[in-house]
């Protein structure tokens, strides 16, 4: 008290009246008294007016931060009361009551009463039902209270501290007041009333006695429809308790996506994208203003710097907040090392002031609390930024993919673009973890040097030098990593591109027996990738060694400098230095990861920005006029277009034509004449060189190669339109789809596999036509839609669609069927990219030579029918038992509808009947077998004990070196050291070097094991996939496989090895820390055991939810990739229907579905870590209190200080162990998902050594079918139902039938793509089910229904196995009418073929497939619609070629063109999976009532008459 009076006198002499303690406390007391009077008046006024203050109805509303404000006021009241009592009894010296003491007592007393009054007012008088905000007078008061507290703290720091007259409890008073003022101002600013979105949710999920079978079901539906974070209270956000409802549900049941809460509006794509997009546009605009950089098509260039700048600007608020958290965390982490020397000196008996020990303990704990709190919120907000960045990047990449020009699209394959979307966007989002590390490192180093300077003086300069040496050592490593990372990503792009193409075309690979050849191609690409991966991981191992050894190196240099400079090494200073080195280890250890991440992010930013700079479609290629503004629907004037603008010869040129509204225009010409390109020009898909294109009205487009989305048939037809049942039924009828839907198990609700894999070619084409018809557009563009359907169906489609529903519409159709030409109002004849003839059918039939060539070929084909009918009387019965009893056939056919109906009703009851199921995911805990399989895959796990031993030895040597320094260094200067200074240093250096060698061995062994494991798992998964049956690919979208081959494989390559090692090493470190602490005070186990028990309980409670969230992330990612791949392949159709916005919306929804589990996984993780941090802090606090309570001399202060040094890391390490365990379980799911695909059921053996056919098998080529019954899956109906017939050897058999009758299924069974459920197939008497698949397929040849070309060259497409000479290849090209076309190309046989053969027309692709079989010259040849996409003239040439090349072979032809099968020796007619007719064409034509005769008659009739009369 004397000191306070003296201070008052001193201050008075200096006229510092306003900063005297008496004045400050008096002013505070007056302010609080006025507040008390105001509250009393408001209460009295409320009572007079009879205002209700009850809380009825509170269950319907929530008042944000109301409870937090009330709770803070109550705590403040109790705090001021406690300080009042403490000040009165402990600081009253009995020498009379001074003015300062009296002012303090009055201030504290009035404060306690005032805050009690505020608490009572908020609880009893304030009605949240009537108010939208907290009372204005309270918010004003809290602002004033903050100013008073802030001023008091400034006085404490800059005035009273220098005089040394302020009691410790007054320091605590002012700082707690400032903290509570900050808290109250926050609640006052953000507190508001909100309507409760889900009362059931909070009642059911937060009620502990909920019945899982009753209310939980209701809560499950509610939790997925709300955002838990949006309306969370302050305390809930502070402690992450807002995640608790989700964790509660996840603990009681297996989570599904519907159980995961919605995102906050600001975290959804719709909220994120506009902000990021505007920032990116402003950045590119400012760049454009400065340098005027534009693409050739007028779009601004986007550099990686601009993209990064836009990302930062869009999230600047979160960047700033996380920077504050990071700074606070950094400051708190250095409090412990700074105080250790004081703590050791205190334990040694050097107490500088009263209660110093308790003050030190409080300082340790408070710093640790704020360290934990800031770190948790820092990490959560970083992950939140990552979710937003990823959502934006994927959205903008998707939107760019929909607008790419044809040239840009050919330069980037689907696999490359998917890789950019899945890998690069993910990597940039992960950079949010590292974005503050670069500026934090200098601050952390500066703080470390400050602490070291205060302890060791000038020796800290040696520390600085050593730190810089270590950091500089990372420069070459960083450059190497950047190079290896870039090369690895380029290699991965190439591999993913090839994988994507192979998966899309797996059917043709299996039909040809090429799958293992292409697997070896993938393996070679993987070898190139792993070459860079190996260098990358070993460089990472070297980096790990350098930076794990960095603290030891810095410590050796620092202590060596102390010895040389003669600076005494006392145990307190040494331990403070060691603790500082340990904290400094984090920035040094993180720095290489940060640099590596910066490098990887730079590479990813470059790749994304270069993709965004690709050329878009020309915006001015087509001039679109308002609907109804002109009677001209399509007008092309002087049009010259080229797929390759740099080419000297345009693709099509000199286009001049006009199409009036309501006209039907036919486009015809030979293969490769430019028909499809003409339609593409009208759509704006082809770069325009000169000319104009004008369109008036909306468009619908039917592509030549059907584009079908995965999903229900109904959704494919509606294509975003509302259901109009009458219109829908009319469209189904017009497209002949009703009968197909009756056969399908779920009707129009049947889910179509990827690319319509479970539909026939004709069915896909008709669904495409139905989609176009349902849109009710003004202009319809059809690209040869009738080639994939049979003659009867084609006639029906033309009559009902083009001449019926579309009679009043403008229709432009490409066709090879001459019979459809007379109905056209205008015919465009194309040749060599020009319109050579134009006019009506009757006008150009006599004058056009090119047109006459097409018509002449058609007439020649028709004459074959006439010749056949004339030759009927001379026909020879080639096979006696070839015909089928008509009555029997009809009987079976009549029975079919009933069977189909029964089958249909049964299948509708079986939800598992769908071909494509939701992606499978494991349930519950990740099995121990997954971990065991992973760690024992490489070298049978032989490296695991070596790695663990190296880590244990490293930990022992580390602890030993620190223990040695603590024991050998004297506590103070006046004590004699146990050993000499040089001995102390030598032993420390030896132990340090030993630990460094251990870490080097451990790092390389770990990377070696991880690399080997990744390689083995990759090879096993791909071998299993390539050997899988075709049914696997039919029911598994490519996105699921690509997801495993891309994202999951990346995790296995680089992340999981370090995660696995980190868990083991953290556990070893934790055991070491506990051992050190327990040696000093074994009593620590009293608290350690229950804390560990509670931690494990928390971990078990958390992991149930976290595991399923991680699995949901994996499952939700594949649909994004699949939708993206589908959108890229169908971008032309999407644009033609003007559906870009709908597809962008679908992508956004799928992104949000992925972000939901990812976001809540981050919140759940921080929920766990926050609680573990608090538990660890409790244990650390217990240890500290125990140490200061021990009598002096009981323990060695140096060893006690060592325990505190390690204890500082206890909370971090304990949380790290549990966090790493949980994170590893989340990451190991990638291994689990890969292992799922290593055990895919395999096809039968490729080669059966015990039953290999002769090398000249089959010599005759006779094919016998015996009671053949086939279905695609056990839960699906039979497609072929008891076929028995013979295809004679060396003869030609034609198979005809309605679309969906089972023709293609029969061929797949012949190639054993599907094995028969019942029955057998014999070729030359050999049961094909008894020999190897490659022995079978290599002896057969096929031209498939969907013509396939691979990216590469003409040579590799014709001869992928490299079995033939150039002469043989040229001969085959000439035979299939492509020789001249290839010779025109500059590189001849080495001419480039784009992905999917997109730079070749569909007809040309079919001719290439023909060339393949001519090269192979098998004894059995199958043609599955081989000439569907070529004109009649080319078809005639092909048929002639086949007759010459396969004169003595068995040729099985499926064709919708009757003329293609008329010259067959036998005809097999299928209907609904049954043989209806099987005989020679002549005999079948004799019987006018036969279905074949009717089919031929119908074809002849439509070919010789005009549809105008229909």
């Amino acid at each position: 008290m004397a000191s306070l009076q003296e201070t008052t006198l001193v201050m008075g002499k200096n006229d510092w009246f306003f900063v005297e303690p008496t004045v400050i406390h008096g002013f505070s007391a007056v302010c609080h008294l006025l507040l008390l009077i105001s509250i009393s008046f408001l209460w009295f006024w409320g009572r007079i007016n009879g205002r209700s203050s009850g809380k009825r109805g509170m269950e319907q509303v929530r008042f944000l931060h109301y409870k937090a404000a009330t709770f803070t006021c109550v705590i403040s009241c109790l705090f001021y009361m406690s300080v009042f009592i403490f000040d009165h009894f402990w600081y009253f010296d009995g020498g009379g009551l001074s003015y300062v003491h009296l002012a303090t007592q009055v201030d504290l007393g009035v404060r306690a009463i005032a805050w009690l009054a505020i608490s009572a007012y908020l609880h009893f008088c304030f009605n949240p039902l009537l108010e939208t905000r907290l009372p204005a007078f309270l918010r004003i008061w809290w602002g004033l209270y903050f100013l008073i507290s802030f001023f008091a703290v400034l006085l404490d720091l800059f005035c009273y501290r220098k005089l040394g007259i302020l009691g410790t409890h007054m320091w605590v008073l002012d700082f707690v007041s400032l903290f509570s003022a900050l808290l109250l101002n926050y609640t006052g600013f953000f507190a508001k009333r909100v309507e409760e979105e889900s009362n059931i949710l909070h009642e059911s999920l937060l009620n502990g006695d909920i019945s899982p079978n009753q209310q939980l079901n209701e809560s499950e539906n509610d939790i997925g429809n709300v955002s838990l974070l949006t309306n969370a209270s302050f305390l809930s956000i502070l402690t992450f308790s807002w995640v608790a409802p989700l964790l509660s549900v996840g603990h009681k049941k297996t989570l599904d996506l519907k159980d995961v809460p919605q995102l906050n509006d600001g975290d959804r794509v719709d909220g994120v994208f506009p902000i990021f997009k505007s920032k990116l546009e402003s950045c590119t605009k400012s760049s454009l203003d400065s340098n005027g950089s534009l693409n050739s098509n007028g779009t601004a260039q986007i550099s990686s710097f601009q993209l990064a700048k836009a990302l930062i600007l869009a999230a600047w608020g979160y960047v700033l907040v996380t920077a504050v958290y990071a700074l606070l965390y950094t400051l708190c982490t250095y409090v412990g090392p700074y105080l250790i020397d004081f703590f050791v000196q205190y334990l040694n008996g050097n107490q500088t002031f009263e209660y110093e020990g308790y003050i030190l303990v409080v300082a340790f704990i408070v710093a640790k609390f704020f360290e934990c709190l800031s770190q948790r919120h820092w990490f959560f907000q970083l992950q939140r930024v990552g979710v937003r960045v990823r959502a934006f990047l994927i959205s903008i990449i998707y939107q760019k993919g929909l607008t790419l020009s044809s040239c840009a699209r050919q330069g980037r394959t689907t696999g490359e673009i998917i890789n950019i979307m899945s890998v690069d966007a993910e990597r940039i989002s992960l950079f949010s973890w590292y974005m503050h590390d670069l500026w934090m490192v200098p601050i952390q180093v500066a703080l470390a040097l400050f602490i070291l300077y205060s302890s060791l003086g000038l020796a800290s300069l040696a520390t600085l030098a050593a730190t810089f040496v270590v950091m500089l050592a990372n420069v070459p490593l960083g450059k190497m990593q950047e190079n290896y990372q870039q090369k690895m990503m380029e290699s991965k792009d190439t591999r993913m591109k090839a994988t994507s193409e192979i998966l899309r075309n797996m059917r043709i690979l299996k039909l040809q027996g090429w799958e293992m050849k292409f697997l070896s191609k993938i393996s070679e690409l993987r070898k190139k990738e792993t070459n860079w991966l190996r260098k990358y991981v070993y460089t990472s191992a070297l980096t790990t060694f350098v930076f794990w050894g960095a603290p030891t190196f810095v410590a050796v240099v620092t202590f060596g400098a102390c010895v040389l400079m003669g600076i005494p090494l006392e145990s307190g200073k040494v331990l403070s230095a060691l603790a500082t080195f340990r904290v400094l280890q984090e920035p040094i250890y993180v720095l290489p990861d940060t640099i590596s991440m910066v490098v990887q992010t730079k590479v990813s930013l470059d790749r994304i920005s270069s993709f965004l700079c690709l050329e878009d479609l020309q915006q001015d290629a087509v001039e679109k006029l308002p609907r109804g503004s002109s009677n001209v629907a399509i007008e092309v004037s002087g049009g010259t277009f080229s797929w390759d603008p740099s080419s000297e010869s345009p693709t099509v040129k000199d286009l001049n034509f006009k199409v009036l509204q309501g006209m039907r225009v036919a486009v015809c010409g030979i293969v490769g004449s430019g028909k499809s390109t003409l339609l593409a020009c009208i759509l704006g898909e082809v770069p325009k060189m000169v000319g104009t294109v004008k369109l008036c009205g909306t468009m619908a487009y039917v592509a030549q190669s059907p584009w079908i989305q995965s999903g229900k048939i109904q959704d494919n037809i509606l294509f975003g339109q509302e259901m109009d049942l009458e219109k829908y039924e009319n469209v189904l009828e017009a497209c002949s789809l009703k009968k197909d839907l009756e056969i399908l198990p779920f009707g129009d609700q049947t889910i179509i596999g990827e690319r319509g894999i479970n539909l026939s070619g004709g069915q896909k084409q008709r669904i495409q036509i139905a989609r176009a018809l349902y849109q009710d557009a003004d202009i319809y563009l059809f690209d040869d839609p009738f080639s994939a359907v049979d003659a009867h169906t084609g006639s029906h489609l033309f009559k009902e669609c083009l001449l019926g529903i579309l009679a009043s519409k403008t229709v432009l159709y490409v066709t090879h069927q001459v019979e459809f030409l007379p109905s056209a109002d205008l015919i465009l004849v194309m040749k060599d990219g020009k319109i050579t003839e134009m006019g009506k059918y009757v006008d150009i039939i006599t004058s056009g030579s090119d047109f006459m060539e097409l018509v002449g070929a058609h007439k020649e084909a028709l004459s074959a029918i006439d010749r056949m009918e004339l030759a009927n009387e001379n026909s020879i019965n080639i096979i006696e038992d070839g015909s089928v009893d008509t009555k029997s056939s009809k009987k079976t056919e009549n029975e079919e509808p009933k069977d189909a109906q029964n089958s249909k009703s049964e299948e509708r009851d079986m939800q598992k009947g769908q071909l494509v199921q939701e992606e499978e995911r494991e349930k519950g805990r990740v099995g121990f077998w997954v971990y065991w399989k992973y760690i024992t895959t490489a070298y049978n796990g032989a490296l695991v004990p070596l790695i663990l031993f190296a880590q244990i030895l490293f930990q022992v040597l580390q602890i030993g070196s620190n223990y040695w320094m603590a024991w050998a260094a004297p506590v103070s200067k006046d004590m004699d050291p146990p050993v000499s200074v040089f001995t102390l240093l030598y032993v420390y250096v030896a132990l340090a070097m030993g630990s460094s060698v251990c870490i080097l061995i451990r790092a390389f062994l770990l990377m070696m094991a991880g690399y080997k494991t990744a390689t083995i798992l990759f090879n096993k998964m791909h071998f299993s996939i390539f050997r899988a049956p075709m049914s696997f690919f039919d029911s598994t979208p490519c996105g699921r496989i690509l997801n495993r081959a891309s994202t999951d494989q990346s995790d296995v390559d680089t992340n999981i090895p370090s995660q696995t090692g980190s868990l083991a090493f953290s556990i070893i470190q934790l055991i070491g820390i506990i051992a050190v602490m327990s040696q000093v005070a074994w009593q620590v186990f009293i608290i350690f055991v229950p804390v560990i028990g509670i931690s494990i309980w928390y971990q078990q409670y958390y992991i149930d939810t976290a595991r399923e969230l991680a699995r949901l992330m994996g499952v939700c990612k594949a649909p994004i990739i699949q939708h993206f791949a589908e959108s890229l392949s169908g971008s032309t159709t999407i644009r033609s229907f003007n559906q870009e916005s709908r597809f962008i919306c679908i992508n956004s929804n799928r992104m949000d579905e992925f972000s939901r589990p990812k976001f809540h996984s981050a919140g759940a993780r921080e929920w766990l870590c926050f609680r573990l941090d608090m538990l660890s802090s409790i244990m650390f606090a217990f240890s500290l209190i125990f140490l200061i309570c021990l009598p002096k001399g009981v323990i060695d202060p140096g060893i006690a200080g060592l325990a505190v040094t390690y204890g500082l890391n206890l909370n971090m390490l304990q949380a790290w162990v549990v966090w790493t365990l949980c994170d590893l379980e989340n990451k190991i799911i990638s291994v689990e998902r890969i292992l799922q695909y290593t055990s895919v059921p395999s096809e039968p053996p490729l080669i059966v050594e015990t039953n290999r056919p002769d090398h000249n098998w089959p010599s005759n080529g006779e094919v016998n079918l015996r009671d053949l019954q086939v279905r695609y899956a056990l839960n699906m109906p039979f497609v072929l139902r008891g076929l028995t017939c013979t295809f004679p050897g060396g003869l030609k058999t034609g198979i005809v039938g309605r679309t969906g009758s089972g023709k293609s299924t029969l061929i797949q069974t012949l190639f054993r793509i599907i094995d028969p459920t019942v029955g057998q197939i014999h070729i030359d008497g050999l049961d094909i089910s008894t020999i190897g698949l490659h022995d079978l397929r290599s002896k057969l040849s096929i031209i498939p229904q969907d013509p396939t070309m691979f990216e590469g060259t003409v040579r590799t497409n014709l001869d992928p196995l490299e079995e033939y000479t150039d002469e043989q290849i040229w001969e085959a090209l000439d035979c299939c009418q492509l020789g001249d076309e290839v010779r025109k190309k500059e590189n001849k046989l080495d001419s480039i073929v784009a992905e999917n053969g997109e730079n070749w027309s569909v007809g040309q692709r079919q001719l290439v497939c023909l060339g393949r079989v001519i090269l192979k010259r098998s004894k059995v040849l199958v043609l599955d619609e081989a000439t569907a996409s070529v004109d009649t003239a080319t078809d005639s040439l092909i048929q002639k070629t086949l007759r010459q090349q396969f004169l003595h072979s068995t040729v099985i032809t499926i064709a919708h063109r009757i003329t293609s099968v008329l010259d067959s020796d036998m005809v097999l007619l299928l209907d609904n999976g049954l043989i209806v007719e099987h005989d020679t064409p002549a005999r079948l034509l004799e019987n006018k009532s036969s279905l074949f005769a009717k089919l031929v008659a119908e074809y002849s009739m439509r070919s010789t008459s005009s549809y105008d009369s229909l």
Side-chain angles (χ1 to χ4, degrees), residues 35-48:
L35 173 69
L36 187 60
I37 293 171
S38 301
I39 292 174
S40 302
F41 174 77
L42 288 171
W43 175 79
F44 181 71
W45 181 259
R47 296 288 291 179
I48 290 176

Side-chain angles (χ1 to χ4, degrees), residues 1146-1253:
I1146 293 172
N1147 181 65
S1148 299
N1149 290 336
R1150 296 195 175 181
M1151 271 301 308
D1152 287 339
E1153 286 179 358
F1154 173 79
S1155 296
R1156 280 163 56 195
K1158 190 174 183 69
F1159 175 84
H1160 290 92
S1161 177
R1165 179 183 298 168
E1166 300 311 323
W1167 176 92
L1168 173 69
C1169 290
F1170 176 80
R1171 282 147 182 79
L1172 296 180
D1173 284 347
M1174 293 300 104
L1175 289 171
S1176 301
S1177 299
I1178 291 171
M1179 189 160 67
F1180 182 54
F1182 177 83
S1183 304
L1184 291 175
I1185 294 170
F1186 179 78
L1187 288 175
I1188 65 171
C1189 290
L1190 287 175
K1192 303 294 183 290
V1194 173
I1195 57 172
D1196 184 345
I1199 304 303
L1202 179 65
V1204 175
T1205 303
Y1206 276 96
L1208 285 173
N1209 288 324
L1210 181 63
N1211 73 300
M1212 182 187 74
L1213 198 57
Q1214 183 183 339
W1216 181 254
V1217 168
V1218 178
W1219 184 87
T1220 309
L1221 177 61
C1222 297
D1223 197 51
L1224 177 61
E1225 184 157 2
N1226 292 343
K1227 289 288 186 185
I1228 206 73
I1229 290 170
S1230 290
V1231 176
E1232 182 184 59
R1233 285 159 55 80
I1234 288 176
L1235 289 175
Q1236 281 178 348
Y1237 278 17
T1238 60
S1239 55
V1240 176
S1242 178
E1243 279 188 309
L1246 298 177
I1247 295 174
V1248 178
E1249 293 293 347
T1250 57
N1251 192 26
R1252 299 204 65 176

Side-chain angles (χ1 to χ4, degrees), residues 99 119 131 136 177 248 256 333 425 482 496 514 776 835 1239 1258 1503:
Y99 287 111
S119 305
E131 307 291 343
S177 297
S248 175
D256 291 316
T333 53
E482 178 181 12
M496 288 304 299
W514 291 344
D776 194 23
I835 298 176
S1239 55
S1503 299

Side-chain angles (χ1 to χ4, degrees), residues 1265-1406:
L1265 311 182
R1266 300 181 181 177
D1267 190 27
L1268 197 64
Q1269 299 182 40
V1270 178
R1271 58 182 172 185
Y1272 283 92
L1274 291 176
N1275 50 16
M1276 298 185 77
F1278 281 100
V1279 182
L1280 299 180
R1281 299 178 298 146
L1283 305 190
T1284 301
C1285 66
T1286 299
F1287 300 151
L1291 298 182
K1292 185 177 179 182
T1293 300
I1295 303 177
V1296 293
R1298 189 177 174 280
T1299 300
S1301 59
K1303 302 185 297 294
S1304 293
T1305 301
L1306 173 58
I1307 301 307
Q1308 291 186 68
T1309 310
L1310 179 63
F1311 281 79
R1312 291 187 65 192
I1313 297 297
I1314 312 167
D1315 275 330
T1317 309
V1318 179
Q1320 298 172 329
I1321 298 178
H1322 290 249
I1323 299 179
D1324 282 1
L1326 180 62
D1327 185 351
I1328 63 171
S1329 64
T1330 62
I1331 62 174
L1333 294 181
H1334 270 196
D1335 284 339
L1336 170 66
R1337 293 168 183 171
S1338 63
K1339 299 294 186 178
L1340 308 179
S1341 290
I1342 184 171
I1343 304 177
Q1345 190 170 9
D1346 297 321
T1348 303
M1349 291 183 74
F1350 301 93
E1351 185 177 12
T1353 65
V1354 175
R1355 176 185 280 107
T1356 57
N1357 267 277
L1358 284 166
D1359 181 25
L1361 303 184
E1362 301 174 0
E1363 296 176 333
Y1364 305 101
T1365 64
D1366 283 5
E1367 289 75 15
Q1368 291 172 307
I1369 294 174
W1370 279 116
E1371 183 184 348
L1373 284 171
D1374 288 330
C1375 288
C1376 65
Q1377 310 301 316
L1378 277 177
D1380 293 338
E1381 182 69 28
V1382 176
R1383 287 187 181 91
K1384 289 179 188 176
K1385 298 182 181 293
E1386 183 180 348
N1387 296 320
K1388 305 294 190 297
L1389 292 178
D1390 294 320
S1391 298
I1392 297 298
V1393 176
E1395 185 183 22
N1396 296 327
E1398 288 179 359
N1399 56 340
W1400 294 65
S1401 73
V1402 176
Q1404 289 172 326
R1405 287 179 230 166
Q1406 240 169 358

Side-chain angles (χ1 to χ4, degrees), residues 123-309:
H123 185 70
F124 296 107
C125 300
F126 176 70
N127 192 341
L129 289 172
L130 303 177
E131 307 291 343
T132 58
R133 303 292 298 272
L134 290 173
F137 83 93
L138 281 183
R139 286 182 277 134
I140 295 170
W141 161 248
W142 287 336
L144 178 63
Y145 177 56
F146 170 75
L147 294 176
I148 296 171
S149 304
F150 184 68
F151 184 65
V153 169
L154 290 179
L155 287 178
D156 293 345
L157 292 173
F158 299 107
C159 184
Y160 299 154
R161 185 172 66 87
K162 295 179 180 178
L163 300 172
I165 46 81
L166 195 66
T168 302
H169 70 297
M170 300 308 293
W171 277 87
V172 174
L173 170 70
D174 291 336
F175 275 97
V176 170
S177 297
L178 179 62
F179 177 74
S180 63
L182 285 169
L183 199 60
L184 288 168
N185 275 278
Y186 175 86
T187 58
F189 186 77
F190 290 106
K192 61 181 179 179
R193 187 183 69 190
V194 293
E195 296 297 328
E196 181 60 87
E197 292 187 40
S198 177
N199 185 43
I200 299 176
L201 172 68
H202 286 272
E203 285 184 0
S204 59
L205 289 181
L206 301 180
N207 188 2
D209 57 356
I210 180 174
S211 172
N213 298 323
Q214 297 172 0
Q215 292 178 338
L216 184 59
N217 291 330
E218 298 175 11
S219 68
E220 288 169 16
N221 297 328
D222 291 330
I223 191 171
N225 297 323
V226 297
S227 170
L228 296 180
L229 182 59
T230 302
N231 297 326
S233 65
F234 174 75
L235 286 177
S236 180
I237 293 173
L238 191 71
T239 60
F240 297 96
S241 298
W242 57 271
V243 191
L246 177 62
L247 293 167
S248 175
V249 174
H251 184 62
K252 293 172 182 173
K253 55 164 283 190
T254 301
L255 283 181
D256 291 316
L257 186 61
K258 62 183 175 61
D259 301 316
V260 181
Q262 295 294 328
L263 293 170
N264 192 334
D265 288 341
D267 297 313
R268 298 167 65 91
V269 173
D270 292 342
V272 169
F273 187 77
I275 299 172
F276 280 89
K277 187 69 181 296
S278 64
K279 296 298 180 184
L280 182 59
E281 288 173 350
S282 62
C283 288
T284 52
K285 184 179 179 182
S286 60
S287 172
L288 185 61
D289 293 338
S290 60
N291 56 29
S293 177
L294 283 174
N295 269 335
S296 59
N297 64 342
T299 57
Q301 291 276 9
I302 300 174
S303 67
S304 55
F305 172 75
Q306 291 164 355
L307 182 58
K309 181 181 176 183

Side-chain angles (χ1 to χ4, degrees), residues 66-107:
Y66 167 73
K67 291 181 179 178
T70 307
F71 181 74
T72 305
C73 293
V74 172
I75 293 298
S76 298
C77 170
L78 296 175
F79 172 73
Y80 289 132
M81 194 177 298
S82 302
V83 176
F84 174 83
I85 296 170
F86 182 86
D87 184 78
H88 181 75
F89 288 104
W90 272 265
Y91 275 80
F92 188 76
D93 57 7
L97 191 64
S98 68
Y99 287 111
V100 176
H101 194 119
L102 180 61
T104 304
Q105 286 281 288
V106 171
D107 182 24

Side-chain angles (χ1 to χ4, degrees), residues 5-16 20 163:
Q5 292 171 349
E6 185 179 341
T7 302
T8 305
L9 292 173
V10 171
M11 298 173 99
K13 291 178 182 178
N14 291 279
D15 297 325
W16 286 9
E20 288 185 6
L163 300 172

Side-chain angles (χ1 to χ4, degrees), residues 635-655:
E635 183 177 3
V636 181
S637 303
T640 297
F641 303 83
S642 178
W643 288 110
D644 182 6
S646 61
S647 175
E648 295 181 0
S649 56
T651 310
V652 292
K653 54 189 174 182
D654 302 332
L655 299 183

